[in-house]
Amino acid sequence: MKAVIAVIATVVLLLLLVAWMKVSVTVVFRHVKDDDECKIVVRTLFGLLRYTVRIPFIKLDMDPDAPGVAFLQKKGVEGTRGKEEKKGKLTLKKIADLFRQLKRFLEQVVDLHEIMKQFCRHVTITKWEWKTRIGTGDAASTGLLVGLGWSLKYMIIGAASRYMNMKTTPAVVIVPAYDRAASETVFLCMIQFRIGHAMVAGLRVVKHWRGRRLPKRNPLAAKQANEGY
């Protein structure tokens, strides 16, 4: 009996430790002319475990038979030989299928927006850097693009601050290039959350999955049934 209690206590302590641990997610996006690169780094176990997903090359494939987006993806655990490289192409049909699957998922989970909103309250933004250089070669149109760029950036920062905890001062820069055409941007964002909060959100998604929830009983109908009406 003591051995069983010890095993249960050990399992509970391990679950509490896992739930208490933090996950750090770093998103880096770089765009220079036609060259795009995106990297997502996930760290946990006090920084000892790190998983990286890289999408270093993205380009439009204007094949008349099957236009789409070609990409080269590398992913794996850093410090190991388990990295894998994957080439692929997202055609218009695949993109449409992805949107249909996403729509089906959104319709399948009841109150998903509320679940995600409550989860985002436990997400902390610890770093935010967004530097952009933009220009068309014409001063008037460049000035217009710079103004639109500032509005877009502040709108996104405002939305992020509304739903998450912004614990840093965003470093936002837009450099106009009046004498040449330029399109460059570097974005870095780091967020943190505890595994326990993600587990709770996942359990709520399962609980609110359409078809799993029992239909609500009508108290008046139940009372009439019990009285023999």
Side-chain angles (χ1 to χ4, degrees):
M1 187 65 180
K2 291 183 179 180
V4 175
I5 295 176
V7 171
I8 295 175
T10 303
V11 172
V12 172
L13 288 176
L14 287 175
L15 289 176
L16 290 176
L17 179 62
V18 171
W20 180 77
M21 285 192 305
K22 287 185 177 181
V23 175
S24 176
V25 180
T26 303
V27 179
V28 180
F29 176 76
R30 182 179 64 89
H31 167 74
V32 179
K33 295 183 179 179
D34 295 329
D35 185 16
D36 297 334
E37 180 181 4
C38 182
K39 180 173 70 171
I40 302 175
V41 182
V42 182
R43 299 181 181 89
T44 188
L45 197 60
F46 307 104
L48 298 178
L49 185 61
R50 179 183 301 179
Y51 188 83
T52 303
V53 177
R54 288 187 177 92
I55 308 176
F57 182 66
I58 305 175
K59 70 173 183 177
L60 293 177
D61 189 344
M62 303 307 296
D63 185 353
D65 296 328
V69 180
F71 64 88
L72 173 67
Q73 182 181 21
K74 297 179 182 180
K75 59 182 179 180
V77 180
E78 292 190 3
T80 67
R81 296 182 180 179
K83 293 184 179 180
E84 61 179 86
E85 184 175 304
K86 177 183 177 183
K87 294 182 180 179
K89 177 181 176 181
L90 287 177
T91 62
L92 295 179
K93 182 178 182 301
K94 290 182 179 180
I95 295 174
D97 290 339
L98 288 175
F99 275 105
R100 279 194 292 268
Q101 293 176 8
L102 177 61
K103 181 181 178 182
R104 191 180 303 116
F105 174 76
L106 295 176
E107 294 174 348
Q108 197 71 20
V109 182
V110 181
D111 299 331
L112 179 62
H113 175 72
E114 187 64 26
I115 295 173
M116 296 307 301
K117 189 166 67 172
Q118 292 189 11
F119 170 71
C120 288
R121 292 174 183 171
H122 302 288
V123 177
T124 301
I125 301 175
T126 58
K127 195 170 186 179
W128 185 293
E129 295 180 0
W130 196 353
K131 301 177 182 179
T132 303
R133 181 187 298 273
I134 191 169
T136 63
D138 176 73
S141 57
T142 297
L144 178 61
L145 286 177
V146 170
L148 292 175
W150 279 114
S151 300
L152 176 64
K153 289 191 176 187
Y154 280 121
M155 182 177 66
I156 295 176
I157 292 173
S161 303
R162 178 181 178 184
Y163 291 101
M164 304 180 190
N165 298 314
M166 183 74 74
K167 296 297 184 181
T168 184
T169 301
V172 183
V173 177
I174 298 182
V175 179
Y178 295 107
D179 57 342
R180 60 186 177 88
S183 175
E184 303 173 5
T185 187
V186 178
F187 175 75
L188 184 148
C189 178
M190 182 181 296
I191 63 173
Q192 288 183 347
F193 57 88
R194 296 194 186 275
I195 296 178
H197 293 142
M199 293 170 60
V200 171
L203 291 174
R204 291 192 64 195
V205 169
V206 174
K207 179 181 177 182
H208 289 75
W209 193 271
R210 194 181 300 274
R212 290 180 176 269
R213 300 179 67 181
L214 295 177
K216 295 182 179 180
R217 297 184 61 187
N218 188 336
L220 181 60
K223 182 179 178 180
Q224 292 177 351
N226 293 331
E227 293 177 354
Y229 290 102

